[in-house]
Amino acid sequence: MSALLALLFVNCSSSPLDTSSEPGTVTVAPQVPASIQLVPLYTPPRAWTATALAFDPLREGELWVTLRRVPSNKPCLETALSGCAALEGEVALVQGATSAEPSMTLKKDGNAWHFMRRPTSIAFGQNGNLATCGEARTDNYEDDAIDYSGPVLWSSDPAIFGALPKDGQNGTHIDMLHESPFCMGIAYERDNAYWVFNGKAGALDRYDFHEPHVVGGEDHSDGELSRYVEGELERVPEVPSHLALDHSQRQLYVADTARGRILRLSIDSGTPGASVPAFETLSANRRMDGASLVEFVAPGSLTAPSGIVFSVDRVIVTDNATSLIWWFKLDGSVLGSVDTGLPAGSLSGITVGPDGKLYLSDLLTGTAYRVEGS
């Protein structure tokens, strides 16, 4: 693979640079570039698929990329453990991702087959914690009848995440809740609260972990689950459906992959309704009725939206089916698109770096790219 992949412009529209910034957002030039180059940041050491990526806000230029293996088709059973290792996800920590000479380190949790099982997504908070979730019906043995999977809270402290667990620690996670099987995307709201795409229920689930438990612990009793718009979303197996939150306007953007559209949820809408099933003791587990969900981008321009990022006054989306990157105004109108030149099925996650540039994850090769544009 060459160091730079020159790519062609497809559709262009420009506007002046907007340098405003709200908490939880970063600034990027909103115009569609006339041309782009993809700069590979590392070469995966094995056959990985890269599903998502995010910058650690506490460590300059450090990019975290969630990696998983192609399904092995071997079952993960208590009586047949041969398939369990293939479910273990890892993280590529790319130091100096914004520089000319990035370096990469792989880190894996000590109980990754449960806590980072087939990861689809990653989101950082502002407090030194982050959360991931994965595409699995259960994070236990696969002959377990209970659909037991959901988001995991971690510390980004390098002395904790991926370190060798101490005696009595179950991995290095600092919290986990289990009511969102086939979790396809995640977004940070505040403190230790995160939104996820529940692929089993076709819903958006809001989790608040509140106070994390001890490293490798198991006390989840202060956790809260609120379920929104059940049945309105549909996943595509193996393709992440990412989320992006506009913190200033309190709007959550959702890649509804199977239906080829982008949805927008007003996160302050809805009223508490009936309880939803929970497989652990929680302080609340409820359905939120009457939430405001609108179709931000109707089917037509997008085929299989996957990655999504909000930046200033633009929503930028990757299309897994076409390998195009799309730019939209906040009224849902199209600004333009660029063809990355990658094979169909490549694009998954997208984020904006502290340098204002776009970064992409590749489902087919496990590579993360920096997008250079003009």
Side-chain angles (χ1 to χ4, degrees), residues 45-46 48 67 90-93 104-108:
R46 58 178 74 92
W48 288 110
L67 302 174
E90 297 191 13
V91 171
L93 269 65
M104 188 266 284
T105 302
L106 288 175
K107 297 197 76 172
K108 182 172 69 173

Side-chain angles (χ1 to χ4, degrees), residues 136-340:
R137 181 191 64 80
T138 177
D139 293 328
N140 294 325
Y141 297 116
E142 291 171 337
D143 51 356
D144 188 330
I146 296 176
D147 296 337
Y148 193 72
S149 184
V152 183
L153 190 68
W154 310 88
S155 169
S156 66
D157 185 338
I160 297 176
F161 180 85
L164 184 67
K166 299 177 182 178
D167 289 346
Q169 290 182 348
N170 187 2
T172 59
H173 78 297
I174 58 173
D175 220 329
M176 183 178 191
L177 298 172
H178 301 87
E179 284 70 42
S180 298
F182 300 112
C183 182
M184 306 304 290
I186 195 165
Y188 167 72
E189 182 189 330
R190 59 171 178 79
D191 302 325
N192 289 315
Y194 293 80
W195 292 79
V196 307
F197 186 123
N198 181 329
K200 177 70 182 293
L204 292 168
D205 290 345
R206 182 188 185 273
Y207 286 93
D208 195 333
F209 293 99
H210 289 292
E211 188 67 24
H213 58 52
V214 297
V215 176
E218 58 182 26
D219 182 2
H220 306 149
S221 58
D222 66 343
E224 289 188 54
L225 163 66
S226 300
R227 179 160 296 160
Y228 293 72
V229 298
E230 186 168 0
E232 295 294 329
L233 314 177
E234 186 176 353
R235 68 185 262 265
V236 172
E238 306 301 321
V239 180
S241 297
H242 289 292
L243 313 177
L245 182 60
D246 174 358
H247 288 79
S248 64
Q249 298 300 313
R250 310 281 292 169
Q251 300 292 318
L252 181 67
Y253 293 88
V254 183
D256 189 12
T257 308
R259 297 172 184 175
R261 60 184 183 164
I262 304 297
L263 302 176
R264 185 171 63 196
L265 174 77
S266 175
I267 66 172
D268 294 322
S269 64
T271 57
S275 295
V276 296
F279 302 112
E280 57 210 324
T281 299
L282 300 175
S283 64
N285 48 293
R286 62 198 166 220
R287 180 173 286 105
M288 298 295 289
D289 298 329
S292 174
L293 182 72
V294 299
E295 195 170 66
F296 173 68
V297 177
S301 55
L302 298 166
T303 303
S306 178
I308 186 167
V309 63
F310 170 82
S311 183
V312 186
D313 60 353
R314 299 290 183 266
V315 175
I316 308 170
V317 179
T318 63
D319 194 323
N320 178 261
T322 64
S323 290
L324 298 178
I325 306 173
W326 289 84
W327 279 254
F328 297 93
K329 293 182 180 181
L330 295 190
D331 62 3
S333 61
V334 177
L335 273 170
S337 62
V338 166
D339 189 345
T340 63

Side-chain angles (χ1 to χ4, degrees), residues 41-42 55 59-65 91-98 101-106 359 368:
L41 300 181
Y42 63 82
F55 279 89
R59 295 170 180 84
E60 185 176 357
E62 185 173 277
L63 180 66
W64 292 44
V65 187
V91 171
L93 269 65
V94 184
Q95 285 84 23
T98 60
E101 297 185 359
S103 61
M104 188 266 284
T105 302
L106 288 175
Y359 290 76

